[in-house]
């Protein structure tokens, strides 16, 4: 699509949310000059407030921010959504829960031939959109890239990187990858917790089964040679106890889906866990996650946690200083039929907000300006749609995606600050 075909390059849908406002800020400071950006949502006064507060915070970008038009609409009004998305090349949505607020705008994007990206972790909803809209999206040459946040960019693009390395260096397909979060510091927003609670109600049976088995549903049918791992297990490569990692419920099946579409290897499987200091720490993490999920699941206990300010309300989240002090490190162990090699994906800010904003912002810019014939139309994870183009953009923004023949020491040790 030519630059002049639409009035805007990118529409930030949900610009008044905690994450949406930060995405507007990121694009104002990092998008190429003359990128045409619009802010969208249902409350004009709040959208004006985001624009005004960010302009005051960043005087050097005030002109860019004030030039952003405001488009008002509601996620339930399909006709108005079509009017809005028809004006832009790309929609970047931060409006969750997507199961409740995302369906109509994705339908509108496919109908109006507008590319789309979001940060949902609601995989059943993404699969539903794929089932309903993939054929039409392909016919319309539309790219619907969900899962463009911390779930699932690190694992998704990390395994794409490893699959490419296996083909180029060993001339062999990638069979399986073990991922481990070996270091992390980050906060959570009220919107994320609300989405988590909503998703738990949708997936409560499979999620609880996965927590107790230590495997996601897709991993429970793992291929031959891929060792099934319990909820708590010892990893010889890392020399650490491993425990349940809640985002594996989304990351593992997403990477396995991408691996099947892109043909990483016959029966390719990805599994993910979290490193702990010792066996006691591993058990404590698993129990803490379990009881935390239970408290968030029920509205009564969730309201109590809001009341005592134990968790943030929707619209609230970690402070800017906390976001800047965050980090994460994901260690990857990859296997072909004859070789074992390693990867590292790391970020230098809060993974859920600092890194996620970077991932979503660069995904939107990638769709707006780097789209070519290599981009795969349809409803898919980001690796399938944007592939190397997005990987290159993120590396250019300081995101670490590395491959090595031996375990990457920095991923295992890190600084004292980043030890688990």
């Amino acid at each position: 699509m030519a630059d002049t075909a639409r009035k805007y390059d990118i529409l930030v849908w949900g610009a008044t949310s905690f994450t949406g406002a930060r995405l507007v800020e990121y694009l104002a400071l990092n998008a190429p000059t003359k990128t045409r950006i619009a802010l969208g949502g249902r409350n004009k006064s709040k959208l004006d407030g985001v624009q005004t507060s960010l302009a005051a915070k960043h005087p050097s970008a005030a002109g860019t921010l004030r030039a952003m038009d405001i488009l008002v609409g509601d996620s339930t009004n399909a006709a108005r959504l079509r009017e809005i998305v028809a004006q832009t090349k790309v929609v970047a949505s931060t409006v969750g829960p997507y199961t409740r607020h995302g369906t109509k705008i994705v339908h509108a994007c496919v109908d109006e031939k507008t590319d789309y990206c979001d940060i949902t972790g609601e995989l059943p909803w993404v699969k539903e959109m794929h089932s309903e809209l993939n054929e039409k999206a392909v016919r319309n040459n539309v790219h619907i890239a969900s899962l463009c946040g911390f779930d699932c960019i690190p694992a998704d693009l990390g395994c794409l990187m490893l699959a490419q390395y296996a083909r180029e260096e060993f001339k062999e397909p990638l069979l399986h990858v073990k991922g481990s979060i070996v270091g992390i510091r980050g906060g959570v927003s009220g919107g994320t917790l609300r989405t988590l609670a909503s998703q738990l109600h949708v997936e409560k049976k499979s999620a609880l089964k996965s927590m107790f088995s230590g495997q996601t549903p897709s991993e429970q049918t793992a291929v031959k040679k891929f060792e099934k791992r319990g909820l708590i297990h010892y990893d010889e490569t890392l020399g650490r106890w491993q425990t349940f990692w809640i985002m594996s419920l989304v990351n593992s099946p997403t990477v396995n889906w991408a691996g099947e579409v892109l043909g990483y290897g016959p029966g390719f499987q990805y599994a993910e866990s979290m490193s702990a200091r010792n066996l006691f720490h591993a058990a404590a993490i698993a129990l803490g996650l379990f009881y935390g999920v239970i408290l968030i699941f029920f509205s009564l206990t969730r309201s109590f946690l809001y009341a005592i300010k134990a968790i943030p309300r929707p619209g609230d989240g970690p402070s800017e200083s906390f976001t800047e002090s965050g980090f994460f490190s994901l260690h990857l162990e990859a296997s072909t039929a004859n070789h074992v090699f390693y990867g590292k994906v790391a970020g230098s800010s809060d993974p859920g907000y600092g890194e996620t904003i970077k991932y979503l912002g660069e995904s939107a810019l990638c769709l707006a300006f780097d789209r070519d014939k290599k981009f795969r139309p349809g409803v898919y994870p980001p690796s399938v749609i944007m592939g190397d183009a997005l990987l290159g953009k993120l590396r250019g923004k300081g995101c670490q995606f590395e491959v090595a023949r031996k375990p990457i020491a920095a991923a295992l040790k890190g600084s004292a600050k980043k030890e688990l």
Side-chain angles (χ1 to χ4, degrees):
M1 184 184 300
D3 285 354
T4 56
R6 302 284 174 106
K7 186 175 182 180
Y8 308 110
D9 297 308
I10 298 170
L11 165 67
V12 178
W13 184 247
T16 60
S17 68
F18 183 83
T19 306
R22 279 146 187 79
L23 177 59
V24 173
E25 181 178 26
Y26 180 87
L27 291 172
L29 298 176
N30 292 277
T33 305
K34 296 185 180 180
T35 300
R36 301 163 301 169
I37 301 168
L39 313 186
R42 62 183 180 181
N43 189 313
K44 187 178 186 304
S45 64
K46 289 184 178 180
L47 290 165
D48 287 334
V50 168
Q51 202 171 34
T52 300
S53 64
L54 289 175
K57 180 180 178 182
H58 299 286
S60 63
T64 299
L65 286 156
R66 293 194 182 102
M68 296 179 183
D69 288 346
I70 289 176
L71 304 179
V72 178
D74 191 283
S75 61
T76 62
N77 188 332
R80 176 56 181 158
L81 289 176
R82 288 188 62 167
E83 290 177 4
I84 289 172
V85 305
Q87 300 179 59
T88 183
K89 293 168 64 178
V90 178
V91 171
S93 175
T94 63
V95 181
Y98 291 83
T99 303
R100 187 181 307 163
H101 301 297
T103 300
K104 283 186 170 61
I105 196 164
V106 173
H107 276 264
C109 285
V110 173
D111 288 340
E112 298 300 328
K113 301 181 181 180
T114 299
D115 287 347
Y116 168 94
C117 54
D118 66 36
I119 52 171
T120 186
E122 299 157 68
L123 186 57
W125 175 76
V126 177
K127 287 294 189 78
E128 181 183 333
M129 293 297 95
H130 175 83
S131 177
E132 291 181 9
L133 295 170
N134 190 65
E135 289 185 6
K136 187 173 183 180
V138 172
R139 287 198 307 270
N140 288 353
N141 197 30
V142 178
H143 305 81
I144 306 296
S146 285
L147 308 155
C148 292
F150 185 51
D151 44 353
C152 304
I153 288 282
D156 184 38
L157 293 187
C159 286
L160 173 70
M161 169 187 72
L162 295 173
Q164 291 173 338
Y165 187 87
R167 287 193 297 266
E168 293 167 3
E169 295 295 320
F170 307 129
K171 311 301 185 211
E172 293 181 353
L174 186 63
L175 297 182
H176 46 80
V177 176
K178 294 192 298 182
S180 177
I181 294 291
V182 297
I184 190 166
R185 173 183 164 86
V188 65
S189 75
T192 296
L193 290 175
R194 181 177 61 183
T195 299
L196 175 61
S198 175
Q199 192 61 16
L200 285 170
H201 281 274
V202 174
E203 294 188 278
K204 51 183 176 291
K205 290 183 179 179
S206 62
L208 287 172
K209 181 179 179 181
S210 299
M211 287 184 73
F212 284 114
S213 70
Q215 296 172 316
T216 68
S218 64
E219 290 165 23
Q220 291 159 8
T221 57
V223 295
K224 183 174 65 175
K225 295 177 68 176
F226 191 63
E227 179 185 359
K228 291 187 178 182
R229 307 181 298 176
L231 178 67
I232 297 174
H233 61 279
Y234 189 78
D235 189 287
E236 295 290 344
T237 300
L238 297 171
R240 290 181 174 182
W241 284 95
Q242 302 295 114
T243 190
F244 176 73
W245 170 234
I246 193 166
M247 291 181 65
S248 67
L249 296 172
V250 179
N251 291 337
S252 295
T254 296
V255 173
N256 290 333
W257 179 20
E260 181 180 358
V261 174
L262 295 173
Y264 290 170
F268 168 80
Q269 284 288 325
Y270 175 76
E272 198 171 69
S273 58
M274 182 179 187
S275 285
R277 289 191 292 268
N278 50 48
L279 179 57
F280 175 80
H281 187 217
I285 290 173
L287 286 172
L289 283 171
F290 175 74
Y291 285 114
V293 164
I294 294 297
L295 289 171
I296 293 168
F297 180 81
F298 295 105
S299 60
L300 181 63
T301 53
R302 195 164 61 249
S303 297
F304 174 73
L305 293 175
Y306 285 145
I308 64 172
K309 299 183 178 180
I311 60 174
R313 292 182 179 276
D316 296 330
S319 67
E320 189 168 327
S321 61
F322 185 90
T323 298
E324 291 174 354
S325 70
F327 62 87
F328 82 91
S329 184
L330 172 66
H331 180 266
L332 301 166
E333 179 179 337
S335 299
T336 67
N338 299 298
H339 298 88
V340 177
F341 60 107
Y342 304 90
K344 176 187 176 183
V345 181
S348 57
S349 64
D350 185 307
Y353 300 97
E355 299 304 300
T356 283
I357 296 304
K358 191 183 302 178
Y359 297 155
L360 182 59
E362 295 303 321
S363 294
L365 292 168
C366 192
L367 288 169
F369 300 120
D370 300 324
R371 174 177 158 179
D372 59 25
K373 292 181 180 179
K374 293 181 181 179
F375 280 39
R376 183 171 188 148
V379 183
Y380 290 112
S383 64
V384 177
I385 290 178
M386 293 173 275
D388 277 339
L390 181 56
L391 186 58
K393 289 186 81 69
L394 293 178
R395 280 173 166 157
K397 288 297 180 179
C399 301
Q400 283 186 274
F401 288 87
E402 301 176 11
V403 183
R405 296 291 183 94
K406 296 180 179 181
I408 300 174
L412 305 182
K413 296 179 180 179
S415 65
K417 170 189 172 184
K418 299 188 179 183
E419 288 281 357
L420 279 169

